[in-house]
mmCIF file of all heavy atoms in Angstrom:
data_model
loop_
_atom_site.group_PDB
_atom_site.id
_atom_site.type_symbol
_atom_site.label_atom_id
_atom_site.label_comp_id
_atom_site.label_asym_id
_atom_site.label_seq_id
_atom_site.Cartn_x
_atom_site.Cartn_y
_atom_site.Cartn_z
ATOM 1 N N TYR A 1351 62.889 55.972 -144.609
ATOM 2 C CA TYR A 1351 61.947 55.434 -145.582
ATOM 3 C C TYR A 1351 62.276 55.796 -147.019
ATOM 4 O O TYR A 1351 62.115 55.020 -147.935
ATOM 5 C CB TYR A 1351 60.519 55.808 -145.279
ATOM 6 C CG TYR A 1351 59.958 55.200 -143.951
ATOM 7 C CD1 TYR A 1351 59.865 55.948 -142.818
ATOM 8 C CD2 TYR A 1351 59.707 53.827 -143.899
ATOM 9 C CE1 TYR A 1351 59.375 55.392 -141.659
ATOM 10 C CE2 TYR A 1351 59.263 53.261 -142.751
ATOM 11 C CZ TYR A 1351 59.105 54.034 -141.594
ATOM 12 O OH TYR A 1351 58.664 53.439 -140.433
ATOM 13 N N ARG A 1352 62.781 57.018 -147.189
ATOM 14 C CA ARG A 1352 63.245 57.429 -148.488
ATOM 15 C C ARG A 1352 64.335 58.478 -148.330
ATOM 16 O O ARG A 1352 64.407 59.108 -147.286
ATOM 17 C CB ARG A 1352 62.100 57.968 -149.351
ATOM 18 C CG ARG A 1352 61.403 59.161 -148.797
ATOM 19 C CD ARG A 1352 60.277 59.678 -149.712
ATOM 20 N NE ARG A 1352 59.639 60.847 -149.188
ATOM 21 C CZ ARG A 1352 58.568 60.800 -148.388
ATOM 22 N NH1 ARG A 1352 58.054 59.655 -148.002
ATOM 23 N NH2 ARG A 1352 57.996 61.912 -147.968
ATOM 24 N N PRO A 1353 65.129 58.716 -149.353
ATOM 25 C CA PRO A 1353 66.209 59.708 -149.228
ATOM 26 C C PRO A 1353 65.623 61.128 -149.058
ATOM 27 O O PRO A 1353 64.559 61.438 -149.552
ATOM 28 C CB PRO A 1353 66.912 59.611 -150.546
ATOM 29 C CG PRO A 1353 66.609 58.240 -151.084
ATOM 30 C CD PRO A 1353 65.218 57.963 -150.581
ATOM 31 N N TYR A 1354 66.334 61.951 -148.301
ATOM 32 C CA TYR A 1354 65.918 63.305 -148.074
ATOM 33 C C TYR A 1354 67.099 64.253 -148.050
ATOM 34 O O TYR A 1354 68.241 63.784 -147.862
ATOM 35 C CB TYR A 1354 65.092 63.465 -146.808
ATOM 36 C CG TYR A 1354 65.907 63.175 -145.552
ATOM 37 C CD1 TYR A 1354 66.806 64.066 -145.014
ATOM 38 C CD2 TYR A 1354 65.673 61.985 -144.833
ATOM 39 C CE1 TYR A 1354 67.495 63.827 -143.825
ATOM 40 C CE2 TYR A 1354 66.407 61.726 -143.694
ATOM 41 C CZ TYR A 1354 67.250 62.595 -143.195
ATOM 42 O OH TYR A 1354 67.966 62.308 -142.032
ATOM 43 N N ALA A 1355 66.828 65.504 -148.215
ATOM 44 C CA ALA A 1355 67.830 66.577 -148.104
ATOM 45 C C ALA A 1355 67.165 67.811 -147.548
ATOM 46 O O ALA A 1355 66.105 68.196 -148.030
ATOM 47 C CB ALA A 1355 68.523 66.881 -149.435
ATOM 48 N N TYR A 1356 67.784 68.445 -146.518
ATOM 49 C CA TYR A 1356 67.239 69.608 -145.924
ATOM 50 C C TYR A 1356 68.303 70.719 -145.961
ATOM 51 O O TYR A 1356 69.520 70.430 -145.931
ATOM 52 C CB TYR A 1356 66.778 69.398 -144.530
ATOM 53 C CG TYR A 1356 65.516 68.560 -144.421
ATOM 54 C CD1 TYR A 1356 65.594 67.164 -144.182
ATOM 55 C CD2 TYR A 1356 64.248 69.091 -144.578
ATOM 56 C CE1 TYR A 1356 64.428 66.404 -144.159
ATOM 57 C CE2 TYR A 1356 63.087 68.356 -144.466
ATOM 58 C CZ TYR A 1356 63.206 67.012 -144.308
ATOM 59 O OH TYR A 1356 62.077 66.226 -144.242
ATOM 60 N N TRP A 1357 67.854 71.929 -145.983
ATOM 61 C CA TRP A 1357 68.698 73.143 -146.012
ATOM 62 C C TRP A 1357 68.478 74.082 -144.861
ATOM 63 O O TRP A 1357 67.278 74.207 -144.453
ATOM 64 C CB TRP A 1357 68.506 73.876 -147.360
ATOM 65 C CG TRP A 1357 68.864 73.116 -148.566
ATOM 66 C CD1 TRP A 1357 68.066 72.286 -149.296
ATOM 67 C CD2 TRP A 1357 70.179 73.029 -149.173
ATOM 68 N NE1 TRP A 1357 68.766 71.777 -150.348
ATOM 69 C CE2 TRP A 1357 70.051 72.215 -150.320
ATOM 70 C CE3 TRP A 1357 71.407 73.623 -148.880
ATOM 71 C CZ2 TRP A 1357 71.129 71.909 -151.120
ATOM 72 C CZ3 TRP A 1357 72.480 73.314 -149.692
ATOM 73 C CH2 TRP A 1357 72.356 72.478 -150.805
ATOM 74 N N GLY A 1358 69.526 74.728 -144.441
ATOM 75 C CA GLY A 1358 69.292 75.822 -143.445
ATOM 76 C C GLY A 1358 68.926 77.103 -144.181
ATOM 77 O O GLY A 1358 68.766 77.126 -145.402
ATOM 78 N N GLN A 1359 68.694 78.133 -143.417
ATOM 79 C CA GLN A 1359 68.224 79.396 -143.937
ATOM 80 C C GLN A 1359 69.365 80.200 -144.590
ATOM 81 O O GLN A 1359 69.102 81.184 -145.353
ATOM 82 C CB GLN A 1359 67.549 80.222 -142.864
ATOM 83 C CG GLN A 1359 68.531 80.997 -141.962
ATOM 84 C CD GLN A 1359 69.173 80.116 -140.916
ATOM 85 O OE1 GLN A 1359 68.973 78.941 -140.799
ATOM 86 N NE2 GLN A 1359 70.036 80.746 -140.081
ATOM 87 N N GLY A 1360 70.590 79.847 -144.332
ATOM 88 C CA GLY A 1360 71.766 80.554 -144.928
ATOM 89 C C GLY A 1360 72.299 81.624 -143.991
ATOM 90 O O GLY A 1360 71.574 82.234 -143.206
ATOM 91 N N THR A 1361 73.608 81.837 -144.108
ATOM 92 C CA THR A 1361 74.260 82.851 -143.287
ATOM 93 C C THR A 1361 75.220 83.618 -144.251
ATOM 94 O O THR A 1361 76.000 82.957 -144.970
ATOM 95 C CB THR A 1361 74.980 82.309 -142.054
ATOM 96 O OG1 THR A 1361 75.504 83.315 -141.259
ATOM 97 C CG2 THR A 1361 76.076 81.325 -142.417
ATOM 98 N N GLN A 1362 75.257 84.896 -144.151
ATOM 99 C CA GLN A 1362 76.061 85.718 -145.088
ATOM 100 C C GLN A 1362 77.508 85.824 -144.591
ATOM 101 O O GLN A 1362 77.753 86.068 -143.418
ATOM 102 C CB GLN A 1362 75.500 87.100 -145.187
ATOM 103 C CG GLN A 1362 76.286 88.069 -146.036
ATOM 104 C CD GLN A 1362 76.263 87.692 -147.540
ATOM 105 O OE1 GLN A 1362 75.184 87.449 -148.059
ATOM 106 N NE2 GLN A 1362 77.385 87.718 -148.187
ATOM 107 N N VAL A 1363 78.416 85.519 -145.480
ATOM 108 C CA VAL A 1363 79.853 85.748 -145.263
ATOM 109 C C VAL A 1363 80.354 86.711 -146.278
ATOM 110 O O VAL A 1363 80.224 86.520 -147.467
ATOM 111 C CB VAL A 1363 80.668 84.408 -145.403
ATOM 112 C CG1 VAL A 1363 82.138 84.651 -145.295
ATOM 113 C CG2 VAL A 1363 80.201 83.477 -144.272
#
Side-chain angles (χ1 to χ4, degrees):
Y1351 293 106
R1352 61 179 182 270
Y1354 63 77
Y1356 289 97
W1357 297 90
Q1359 80 283 359
T1361 185
Q1362 177 70 46
V1363 172

